[in-house]
Amino acid sequence: MSTKAPIRVAITGAAGQIGYSLIFRIAAGDVFGPDQPVALNLIEIEPAMGALSGVVMELNDCAFPLVSEIVPTSDMNVGFKDANWCLLVGSVPRKAGMERKDLLGINGKIFVGQGEAIAKNAAKDVRVLVVGNPCNTNAYICKHAAKGVPADRFFAMTRLDENRAKAQLAEKAGVHSSKVTNLAIWGNHSATQYPDFYNAKIDGKPALEVIGDEAWLKDTFIPTVQQRGAAIIKARGLSSAASAANGAIDTVRSLVTPTKPGDWFSVAVCSDGSYNTPKDLMISYPIRTNDGKTWEIVQGVPVNDYSRAKIDASCKELQEEANDVAELLK
Ligand code: NAD
Ligand code: LMR
């Protein structure tokens, strides 16, 4: 057993689909590394506590060397107590035929109480990743409710979109997905998101040059990435879960590990107005970290007229979502 102090991770929706993959991978060391103990605060609503007790039994049955403590609870004050990371997954997923923003009326309010409980109970260095949809605007609500917690601690997940985009480009180019770098998702985790192929690289060369088919990139690649969540719901009858958990794991790992020189990753953060985007909204950009603690929006990424229009359309949608939840912000 490592002598390091554990990192405390609070996970909401712990008895749900994503939780069933996410918790076990964190426990196995996939996020914080093979010698970093983790304490797991597993948060559920009261009706799901029975199912959560089964998850806890299974966690115990794994005898994970890195797990120092498991705290199953339906009390947010207990669940967020001393948490260094809060992974906010718990919320209702959409069904076929819905857009993610159709969930705002059901899910938005969850993030008011959670933001308040995080501000009251979490560790001073807390960082919060929102996965539950619509994740950008839920994170925006949470950030506003968590009075006193700096805005740069809040994130919303667009890494699954980045990974999907990398997989599509790699398949088209006939290379392994690890050869695709500099893939930025701009905007909202929604059908308006902009997977930026103009700045993506394949084996260090511009993706456009390697693929050589701009029409395919615009007319097939972009809609495929934008609609991938819906395609999975149609095929599985349930929304993505293992790939979503993997996206959350990649996001946290990227935020705690120095980014390779010249590269970036995608996550939605509180806008400072970079790239002429509206301030305060949770917008996905190319992000990097030099020290695994602070992060920055990568500046100077070329934005041509086509990209500009796509980014503006996604930010417009985020502004509309923010207007729709104005009454939840105190
Ligand atoms: P699920 O229905 O299987 O599980 C959700 C769990 O959350 C349930 O166990 C439920 O009891 C719990 N829950 C509900 N309200 C809660 C609350 N207030 N506090 C704590 N727990 C609560 O759903 P899932 O498939 O795990 O998906 C969870 C969310 O993640 C959905 O909103 C889904 O749309 C979203 N999602 C986002 C991405 C992304 O890329 N950002 C990807 C996949 C799924
Ligand atoms: C996804 O992208 O798979 C998730 O956001 C789930 C959904 O509703 O599409």
Side-chain angles (χ1 to χ4, degrees):
M1 182 87 187
S2 166
T3 52
K4 283 185 175 178
I7 292 176
R8 189 167 293 277
V9 186
I11 302 164
T12 67
Q17 285 205 91
I18 296 174
Y20 196 65
S21 178
L22 180 61
I23 296 166
F24 292 83
R25 290 193 57 193
I26 295 171
D30 284 4
V31 177
F32 299 107
D35 67 343
Q36 174 59 60
V38 286
L40 298 171
N41 289 10
L42 306 181
I43 306 172
E44 260 297 349
I45 50 173
E46 196 51 48
M49 288 307 285
L52 183 60
S53 72
V55 174
V56 172
M57 282 188 242
E58 285 204 72
L59 262 178
N60 283 325
D61 295 348
C62 291
F64 283 118
L66 292 173
V67 175
S68 64
E69 190 185 5
I70 303 169
V71 182
T73 182
S74 59
D75 180 341
M76 286 191 286
N77 290 319
V78 175
F80 292 124
K81 184 91 192 122
D82 298 332
N84 306 105
W85 273 95
C86 300
L87 307 183
L88 306 186
V89 180
S91 52
V92 176
R94 68 173 163 157
K95 305 239 168 7
M98 293 170 75
E99 288 300 329
R100 297 179 185 91
K101 65 183 164 204
D102 297 335
L103 296 167
L104 254 187
I106 312 173
N107 288 341
K109 52 186 176 297
I110 294 174
F111 294 85
V112 176
Q114 291 189 351
E116 288 168 354
I118 287 168
K120 194 166 144 208
N121 297 288
K124 282 251 170 310
D125 68 351
V126 69
R127 286 187 267 182
V128 180
L129 172 66
V130 178
V131 174
N133 277 319
C135 60
N136 299 57
T137 300
N138 288 338
Y140 170 77
I141 296 166
C142 188
K143 166 172 70 74
H144 276 264
K147 303 272 183 271
V149 182
D152 66 358
R153 307 290 186 76
F154 293 84
F155 307 93
M157 188 164 100
T158 53
R159 182 55 168 271
L160 176 55
D161 308 296
E162 174 187 327
N163 290 347
R164 287 167 171 167
K166 284 179 166 172
Q168 292 298 316
L169 292 183
E171 190 182 338
K172 181 75 173 171
V175 300
H176 191 266
S177 55
S178 59
K179 300 286 184 194
V180 185
T181 62
N182 301 84
L183 195 303
I185 302 292
W186 298 83
N188 197 3
H189 174 61
S190 77
T192 68
Q193 67 176 272
Y194 175 46
D196 180 358
F197 63 81
Y198 281 113
N199 289 297
K201 292 185 181 156
I202 300 176
D203 240 340
K205 299 191 201 78
L208 180 55
E209 186 183 310
V210 175
I211 288 177
D213 185 348
E214 199 166 354
W216 178 86
L217 288 161
K218 285 182 173 169
D219 302 334
T220 302
F221 165 72
I222 290 180
T224 299
V225 177
Q226 289 174 332
Q227 295 297 333
R228 188 66 160 190
I232 289 166
I233 292 171
K234 189 160 176 246
R236 259 173 42 91
L238 288 168
S239 63
S240 65
S243 58
N246 184 66
I249 283 162
D250 283 352
T251 307
V252 178
R253 205 175 36 218
S254 289
L255 286 165
V256 300
T257 312
T259 312
K260 280 190 189 146
D263 203 0
W264 55 67
F265 58 94
S266 305
V267 63
V269 297
C270 180
S271 169
D272 63 354
S274 289
Y275 294 96
N276 287 321
T277 51
K279 282 189 184 171
D280 198 36
L281 299 178
M282 295 295 293
I283 298 174
S284 183
Y285 302 96
I287 301 289
R288 52 174 294 113
T289 171
N290 293 323
D291 58 7
K293 293 186 179 73
T294 56
W295 53 264
E296 63 195 22
I297 299 172
V298 180
Q299 301 297 328
V301 174
V303 173
N304 62 18
D305 288 350
Y306 180 86
S307 302
R308 182 78 258 164
K310 295 277 182 205
I311 295 168
D312 288 348
S314 202
C315 289
K316 181 167 175 279
E317 180 185 47
L318 279 168
Q319 187 62 65
E320 287 162 5
E321 289 182 22
N323 296 345
D324 286 348
V325 299
E327 81 285 359
L328 293 179
L329 311 183
K330 286 180 216 142

